[in-house]
Amino acid sequence: MKIINTLKSVSLSVLPVLLVSAVLSLGMTSVAHASKWDAKMTPDEVEATLDKKFAEGKYSPKGADSCLMCHRKSEKVMDLFKGVHGSIDSSKSPMAGLQCEACHGPLGKHNRGGNEPMIAFGPDSTLSAEKQNSVCMSCHLDDKRMDWNGGHHDNADVACASCHSIHTDKDPVLSKNTEMEVCTSCHTKQKADMNKRSSHPMKWAQMVCSDCHNPHGTLSDSDLVKPTVNETCYSCHAEKRGPKLWEHAPVTEDCVACHNPHGSVNEGMLKTRAPQLCQQCHASDGHSSSAYMGNTDQGSTVGGNAFTGGRSCLNCHSQIHGSNHPSGKLFQR
């Protein structure tokens, strides 16, 4: 079956100039084994050959039909046509222009034995993440990805293909039901925190990583979607925003001073349970000597000490996030 018989009218003399800087990249497949050319060419030789192919611009006049003569037996390759990148009806799809070669580069003499390099993607590609990503960014450099350069994933040499699956019906990282699996495949510490007794409802996909973080980079710490940690938290916890008549300094400064947003073994995702958490700042007030005695009233009754039993300091200072009561200076009302 013909996929597309003729290419859209694209100036092949201009295209190499546009793509030469994007000379290698995240094509559309994640290969299971190293490519044939990787066994006999160094990464520098592969890159140099691809540079030369872009300069020559020898694209196939039959487009995807030339590629599928050999690759149509691969289920992974054919899955491309289930997703948006393989849509033959969309003017924005690679299939509307240079087709497979829009991402994998000019065919050249590749079909004569399959030994001439094409742009490969994924963990088995010898191309650098920067080279792989340059192909993706040639189309996807928009306002959502404008801060990619210099972001956490860019600095860590993470390739787009490490997170995104192109040859598929639905990209797992774009679904709330599977996004967590993709992110935590690398962020294992956060995965452990999310499974602790007190955490955000991420295990049930009621929240996802991208609710707070932009994986493509922002100008904020930790690639947060808002300018600050607190502004990000206030997106859901608006009641903590204030301003309050009586404010608690660490609350207005940074929520993570007391909380671990990914999860904790302590109630309310606190980094340390009270009174130890409170005593990190309030070590010399009038309660300190009693609080250090543990959770007993000097041994008379278990949990009998108001400073350590129940909610500890919060037994009295219940409005710890701030108070609007005229007599709430000590956050007791």
Side-chain angles (χ1 to χ4, degrees), residues 75-94:
E75 182 178 350
K76 180 66 176 177
V77 170
M78 298 307 294
D79 280 346
L80 171 72
F81 298 102
K82 297 178 181 179
V84 294
H85 287 83
S87 173
I88 61 177
D89 299 322
S90 173
S91 61
K92 296 181 179 181
S93 165

Side-chain angles (χ1 to χ4, degrees), residues 79-137:
D79 280 346
L80 171 72
F81 298 102
K82 297 178 181 179
V84 294
H85 287 83
S87 173
I88 61 177
D89 299 322
S90 173
S91 61
K92 296 181 179 181
S93 165
M95 289 296 119
L98 289 174
Q99 302 171 48
C100 303
E101 294 165 275
C103 295
H104 293 284
L107 181 66
K109 298 179 181 179
H110 172 74
N111 59 338
R112 300 179 186 178
N115 291 321
E116 186 173 272
M118 299 292 289
I119 297 173
F121 305 90
D124 295 313
S125 175
T126 59
L127 302 179
S128 67
E130 180 183 5
K131 292 297 184 181
Q132 294 184 49
N133 294 346
S134 63
V135 172
C136 306
M137 301 303 281

